[in-house]
Amino acid sequence: MSPQDTIASGEPVRTRVVVIGAGFGGIGLGIKLKAAGLNDFVILEKSDSVGGVWRENRYPGAACDVPSHLYSFSFEPCADRPRKYADQADILDYLIRCTRKYGLEPHLRFGAEVAEARWDETSNHWIVRTRAGAVFEAQSLVTATGQLSKPVIPSLPGLKDFTGPAFHSAQWRSDIHLSGKRVAVIGTGASAIQFVPAIAPLAEQLTVYQRSAAYVLPKPDKVYPAWQKTLFRNIPGALRLSRMLQYLKHEATAFAFVAFPSALKVKRPAFRRHLHAGVTNTDVRARLVPHYRIGCKRILLSNDYFQAFDRPNVELVTESIREIRADAILSADGTTRKIDCIIFGTGFAATDFLVPMTVTGIGGQDLRQAWKDGAQAHLGITVAGFPNFFMLYGPNTNLSHNSIVFMLESQIRYVVACLRRLRGARSIEIKPQVQDRFNTRLQQRLKHTVWAKGCTSWHLTADGKNTTNWPGYTFEFALKTRAPKWDDYAVR
Ligand SMILES: Cc1cc2nc3c(=O)[nH]c(=O)nc-3n(C[C@H](O)[C@H](O)[C@H](O)COP(=O)(O)OP(=O)(O)OC[C@H]3O[C@@H](n4cnc5c(N)ncnc54)[C@H](O)[C@@H]3O)c2cc1C
């Protein structure tokens, strides 16, 4: 039955598990649910296809910054990647291929944006409603809605008066041709450093408005020669070895991020050399040096970002934006620059977990109310007062040093174990004291991490609480999530 059928019949679609979102998380979970013989599930996706951030972020130059052999499912290695760091099209293609190979199509419902989910205490089921009015009733609910799927556009004075196209990098307008245009880029985060060099040769004039500079290091990218791809395809273990080596290399840096931030200073000389090699103008170079401790914001990788500022048609503006006018931007120093098109590289509302969905648990408790001091969960997965409710890429499961897909696989294993348990139980719910103990310890550890002080970043709420990042090693997370401890749960 499709959502449209539900509306027609007025009857809810009954299923065992509702999964929300069809990115790496939702697809990975779907595959593992089938493998566990849990075939009664639907994946609701608000868009019209799978892929998550890799469907949305189609800006020129979009690519991952974790090597592809690692940024892929461990059970579905990709031997045929043309280069070490796959681009957006390759990653999206990979997710589409996974969907087909593992037969997830019958489970997917597109155009199904979930507006609300309510725990019904009479039936011990979740009642899930989409914006279009379709209703699903399920024993369990799993959200796989990502941390980086809500683009942020700053509320700049006068923005609504701007008459040209203005869009976020995650909502790229491929119908807008940038050649011959005076383009303004606002923001210099992970996406901007990828698309600035790609559009610099097209635009007549490119003005980059920077609030804070980024630590950008060389990207050790390469095209895999044919022999190496043959090796990965045909020699048993070669691809696994490549993945393992990349994993260890990334994991080795965790120590600096989570326990000994000063160690990250060893990367500064490489940053300086990279900057010097890329930018000849000493004034521009000076303004591209960050004034916060390295690692506090994500360390970025690019081989052509700095070089873009050596182009005669690219200008770096570090004064803040005072006002946007119909065809111009006025900066704080009083300079007005004529602009035809504005592109926002201003990131995502990462700490607004599950917004704008309404999730209601036991006793009508609103999850937003439960999270008024910042989102939190047990292991980033389960929340007290919300039985049979699980999150993937939930609070404090993000990383700065390794692959999110690795973290997602750990969470998926844990959630599948819980869902198996629910075949013989009505509900499971994390005990509040267990969740509190876990989060008290987690926040204590976060105080010693590189994200704790020295900069503002998307990891922190307005109150300065880090609700996004995992403060440890990924193998530690994998161990903690290896199997649920049933004593931590009220199993009914
Ligand atoms: C540009 C970019 C580059 C990145 N590069 C890397 C990298 O190199 N390495 C790395 O480890 N991580 C990277 N990430 C982080 C990335 O978010 C994760 O790696 C991973 O893709 C998250 O997958 P997900 O399925 O959890 O979430 P997402 O990919 O965000 O998917 C969530 C899905 O849920 C859907 N959805 C949301 N709300 C609803 C709703 N209410 N109803 C129905 N559907 C809904 C969305 O449409 C989306 O399809 C990058 C992120 C971005 C934005």
Side-chain angles (χ1 to χ4, degrees):
M1 195 187 263
S2 73
Q4 284 71 24
D5 296 332
T6 340
I7 298 165
S9 68
E11 280 293 305
V13 175
R14 290 197 174 80
T15 182
R16 194 99 180 178
V17 185
V18 163
V19 181
I20 309 175
F24 261 108
I27 292 171
L29 178 63
I31 294 170
K32 290 297 177 187
L33 283 176
K34 286 190 75 168
L38 299 165
N39 289 304
D40 190 9
F41 67 94
V42 293
I43 303 176
L44 306 181
E45 167 54 56
K46 67 177 174 185
S47 185
D48 57 2
S49 58
V50 300
V53 298
W54 300 105
R55 178 196 63 236
E56 299 297 299
N57 289 268
R58 291 165 185 267
Y59 57 79
C64 58
D65 56 12
V66 168
S68 321
H69 290 171
L70 185 55
Y71 192 64
S72 48
F73 294 122
S74 59
F75 55 84
E76 188 59 32
C78 40
D80 51 358
R81 283 283 158 82
R83 55 188 320 125
K84 188 170 168 190
Y85 292 85
D87 63 21
Q88 171 269 335
D90 274 336
I91 304 172
L92 181 58
D93 180 60
Y94 171 80
L95 288 170
I96 293 171
R97 277 190 288 128
C98 286
T99 305
R100 288 195 189 127
K101 178 172 170 182
Y102 292 93
L104 291 186
E105 289 102 328
H107 299 270
L108 284 156
R109 304 285 183 274
F110 294 117
E113 178 175 1
V114 173
E116 60 170 62
R118 180 176 55 81
W119 174 250
D120 184 80
E121 288 173 53
T122 317
S123 64
N124 284 302
H125 277 173
W126 282 96
I127 311 294
V128 179
R129 218 174 280 277
T130 71
R131 232 167 248 299
V135 181
F136 295 80
E137 186 177 336
Q139 186 190 27
S140 303
L141 174 66
V142 188
T143 59
T145 49
Q147 285 197 11
L148 305 177
S149 59
K150 287 175 288 291
V152 168
I153 294 191
S155 50
L156 295 165
L159 179 58
K160 63 177 185 341
D161 302 326
F162 186 69
T163 52
F167 55 89
H168 191 280
S169 59
Q171 295 154 339
W172 197 265
R173 294 272 307 269
S174 50
D175 58 320
I176 307 288
H177 298 289
L178 300 177
S179 46
K181 287 203 170 60
R182 294 163 297 187
V183 179
V185 168
I186 299 179
T188 52
S191 298
I193 68 125
Q194 294 185 336
F195 70 74
V196 161
I199 64 171
L202 305 175
E204 180 188 304
Q205 176 65 32
L206 182 64
T207 311
V208 179
Y209 289 86
Q210 171 189 282
R211 196 167 62 173
S212 68
Y215 282 101
V216 183
L217 295 177
K219 189 172 193 174
D221 200 7
K222 67 169 190 174
V223 171
Y224 285 124
W227 69 263
Q228 211 167 2
K229 280 190 280 182
T230 311
L231 185 107
F232 289 139
R233 245 191 323 268
N234 299 312
I235 307 288
L239 199 53
R240 232 172 300 130
L241 179 66
S242 163
R243 183 184 170 93
M244 177 57 83
L245 292 176
Q246 283 164 0
Y247 172 78
L248 292 175
K249 190 172 159 221
H250 282 75
E251 200 56 12
T253 64
F255 167 71
F257 284 96
V258 302
F260 194 51
S262 298
L264 285 166
K265 283 188 195 155
V266 299
K267 290 182 185 277
R268 282 186 65 108
F271 161 74
R272 292 227 172 242
R273 278 196 302 277
H274 194 43
L275 178 62
H276 275 246
V279 187
T280 46
N281 182 307
T282 50
D283 165 56
V284 176
R285 208 191 276 162
R287 288 186 292 136
L288 286 166
V289 176
H291 296 293
Y292 52 85
R293 67 173 169 175
I294 185 165
C296 187
K297 291 175 193 265
R298 194 173 177 89
I299 297 173
L300 308 177
L301 304 177
S302 169
N303 295 329
D304 49 11
Y305 177 65
F306 286 144
Q307 282 81 350
F309 292 96
D310 252 9
R311 296 180 60 90
N313 67 329
V314 177
E315 185 189 5
L316 176 69
V317 177
T318 44
E319 286 80 22
S320 57
I321 293 172
R322 186 187 295 172
E323 186 183 274
I324 301 204
R325 295 181 176 161
D327 62 350
I329 296 182
L330 169 66
S331 45
D333 62 348
T335 310
T336 304
R337 291 174 182 82
K338 291 278 184 196
I339 298 294
D340 303 311
C341 172
I342 301 176
I343 305 173
F344 290 96
T346 37
F348 302 89
T351 56
D352 287 350
F353 286 89
L354 307 183
V355 172
M357 228 184 303
T358 303
V359 180
T360 315
I362 291 175
Q365 186 182 194
D366 185 336
L367 190 54
R368 247 172 293 186
Q369 186 57 26
W371 283 351
K372 61 181 186 330
D373 299 324
Q376 59 154 303
H378 180 61
L379 296 165
I381 301 174
T382 47
V383 185
F386 296 78
N388 301 3
F389 171 68
F390 310 92
M391 285 177 286
L392 300 180
Y393 204 6
N396 298 103
T397 59
N398 184 58
L399 305 170
S400 287
H401 74 283
N402 212 328
S403 169
I404 297 302
V405 180
F406 180 93
M407 293 292 275
L408 282 171
E409 281 195 55
S410 298
Q411 295 152 43
I412 287 169
R413 195 178 44 239
Y414 188 94
V415 171
V416 169
C418 291
L419 295 175
R420 271 177 192 271
R421 182 76 181 85
L422 276 166
R423 284 207 278 210
R426 224 166 350 126
S427 70
I428 64 168
E429 184 196 346
I430 191 68
K431 293 175 181 164
Q433 64 274 26
V434 175
Q435 181 181 323
D436 287 348
R437 211 182 314 126
F438 172 81
N439 280 284
T440 304
R441 171 96 186 92
L442 179 120
Q443 288 299 330
Q444 264 162 7
R445 286 183 72 180
L446 277 163
K447 284 189 194 138
H448 305 288
T449 65
V450 69
W451 314 290
K453 52 178 183 278
C455 76
T456 55
S457 71
W458 55 265
H459 305 305
L460 310 179
T461 63
D463 298 332
K465 184 174 176 186
N466 189 330
T467 57
T468 63
N469 280 5
W470 172 245
Y473 299 89
T474 61
F475 59 79
E476 195 190 342
F477 185 79
L479 282 173
K480 281 188 192 300
T481 51
R482 203 173 35 161
K485 290 185 187 143
W486 299 121
D487 284 351
D488 291 348
Y489 285 87
V491 182
R492 296 179 189 105

